[in-house]
Amino acid sequence: MVGTIELNSRQQKILNIVKEYGPITGESIAEKLNLTRATLRPDLSILTMAGFLDARPRVGYFYTGKTGNQLLRENLRKLKVKDFQSIPVVVTSGVSAYDAIVTMFLEDVGTLFVVDEDGLLIGVISRKDLLRASIGKQELATLPVDIIMTRMPNITMCKKDDPLLDVAEKLIERQIDAIPVVKEKGAGFEVIGRITKTNVTEALVSIGREDG
Ligand code: ADP
C-alpha cells in the first residue's frame, strides 16, 4: 500500500487507545471499545499495514510513533522506476534531424534515444535540440542527429530498480524532461525504458487516487 490514508473515527479511537495503553492485545482494545475482536480485525490490519501500528506475537499492538508524513515518505521511496517507466523510442545513429522530428510526431514523444548499430546508447535528442538545428542554416534532411544530440558520457541514466523519487530529483536538478532506463550490455548500456515528467505525474496521481 502506498500513500497516506484517511482514518475513520473507529481507527482513530484504536490509535488513541494503543498510544495510551500499548503494548495492548486486540482483545483488550476490543473490550475498551465494547466491540468484538472480530469487528476490530479489519481496522487493526489497516492500521498495521499503513505503518501506524506494529504487532508483536504474545505482546500485542504498539504505536510506531510515525506521522502520516513519515509514512508517506517511506512509501514514496518504495515506488520503483520499473513500475512507472514507459516504452523508449530509439533511433539509430546517422538518422537525419528531419527523420527524428517525424519520429517524435509519429510516436508522440518529446525525447528520442540514439543507439549505435549494436543497440547501445550513444545520445539523447530533445525537442529543443531539433528546434535549435531548425533555426540554423543546415539542411535537416541531411543533418545527422549525431551532430546535435547530447552524447555519452553526459547522459543522465537510471536503472529499473532505482527509486522513482531519485529519478524525479534528477529530472528537476538537470532540467531535463526524460531519462533513459538502461541495463548494462557489454561495455555500454541498452535502453529498456524511459522515465519522463509525465510518468512522475502519473505516480503522484496513482498515490492520490488509491483507496486506503
Ligand atoms: P526540451 O528540449 O524539450 O527542453 P529537455 O529539457 O529534456 O527537453 O532537454 C534539454 C537538453 O538536455 C537538450 O539539449 C537535451 O539533449 C539534453 N537532455 C535531455 N535528456 C537528457 C538526459 N537524460 N541526459 C543528458 N542530457 C539530456
Side-chain angles (χ1 to χ4, degrees), residues 2-4 72 75-76 79 202-211:
V2 166
T4 51
L72 177 59
N75 284 325
L76 270 177
L79 304 181
E202 280 163 358
L204 182 70
V205 170
S206 83
I207 292 169
R209 292 268 180 267
E210 210 167 55
D211 295 328

Side-chain angles (χ1 to χ4, degrees), residues 10-119:
R10 188 153 74 202
Q11 290 160 355
Q12 195 59 58
K13 275 185 202 153
I14 295 172
L15 207 52
N16 290 339
I17 290 173
V18 179
K19 263 188 213 174
E20 192 170 348
Y21 302 103
I24 177 171
T25 61
E27 202 61 54
S28 308
I29 302 171
E31 263 169 40
K32 287 189 188 296
L33 289 170
N34 280 326
L35 294 167
T36 65
R37 172 81 181 84
T39 316
L40 281 194
R41 196 161 289 132
D43 289 323
L44 285 169
S45 71
I46 286 171
L47 289 169
T48 309
M49 276 196 313
F52 289 105
L53 297 185
D54 219 337
R56 282 209 200 115
R58 289 182 300 278
V59 177
Y61 292 90
F62 58 92
Y63 182 57
T64 59
K66 287 179 182 162
T67 63
N69 267 348
Q70 272 175 315
L71 292 168
L72 177 59
R73 227 174 290 132
E74 278 176 18
N75 284 325
L76 270 177
R77 286 211 73 78
K78 288 185 198 152
L79 304 181
K80 298 293 177 217
V81 160
K82 62 173 174 247
D83 299 322
F84 293 93
Q85 70 187 41
S86 306
I87 294 166
V89 179
V90 300
V91 292
T92 314
S93 167
V95 80
S96 71
Y98 181 89
D99 285 340
I101 294 173
V102 172
T103 305
M104 271 190 188
F105 274 102
L106 290 178
E107 302 284 347
D108 196 17
V109 293
T111 309
L112 302 174
F113 304 117
V114 184
V115 297
D116 66 13
E117 58 279 7
D118 298 322

Side-chain angles (χ1 to χ4, degrees), residues 69-185:
N69 267 348
Q70 272 175 315
L71 292 168
L72 177 59
R73 227 174 290 132
E74 278 176 18
N75 284 325
L76 270 177
R77 286 211 73 78
K78 288 185 198 152
L79 304 181
K80 298 293 177 217
V81 160
K82 62 173 174 247
D83 299 322
F84 293 93
Q85 70 187 41
S86 306
I87 294 166
V89 179
V90 300
V91 292
T92 314
S93 167
V95 80
S96 71
Y98 181 89
D99 285 340
I101 294 173
V102 172
T103 305
M104 271 190 188
F105 274 102
L106 290 178
E107 302 284 347
D108 196 17
V109 293
T111 309
L112 302 174
F113 304 117
V114 184
V115 297
D116 66 13
E117 58 279 7
D118 298 322
L120 299 180
L121 179 65
I122 55 169
V124 176
I125 189 117
S126 76
R127 281 175 287 218
K128 223 177 292 148
D129 296 329
L130 290 164
L131 281 176
R132 199 181 303 113
S134 308
I135 52 179
K137 291 233 161 56
Q138 298 112 314
E139 180 55 56
L140 293 180
T142 53
L143 175 71
V145 284
D146 307 58
I147 312 248
I148 55 173
M149 70 190 183
T150 299
R151 311 192 129 264
M152 279 295 231
N154 299 322
I155 300 177
T156 303
M157 305 180 290
C158 67
K159 300 273 176 69
K160 70 177 172 34
D161 293 315
D162 286 348
L164 188 67
L165 196 61
D166 292 352
V167 180
E169 241 164 36
K170 284 187 194 166
L171 284 171
I172 291 173
E173 266 171 28
R174 319 242 156 118
Q175 299 187 10
I176 50 181
D177 292 343
I179 293 185
V181 184
V182 298
K183 73 168 187 218
E184 267 127 43
K185 184 184 173 194

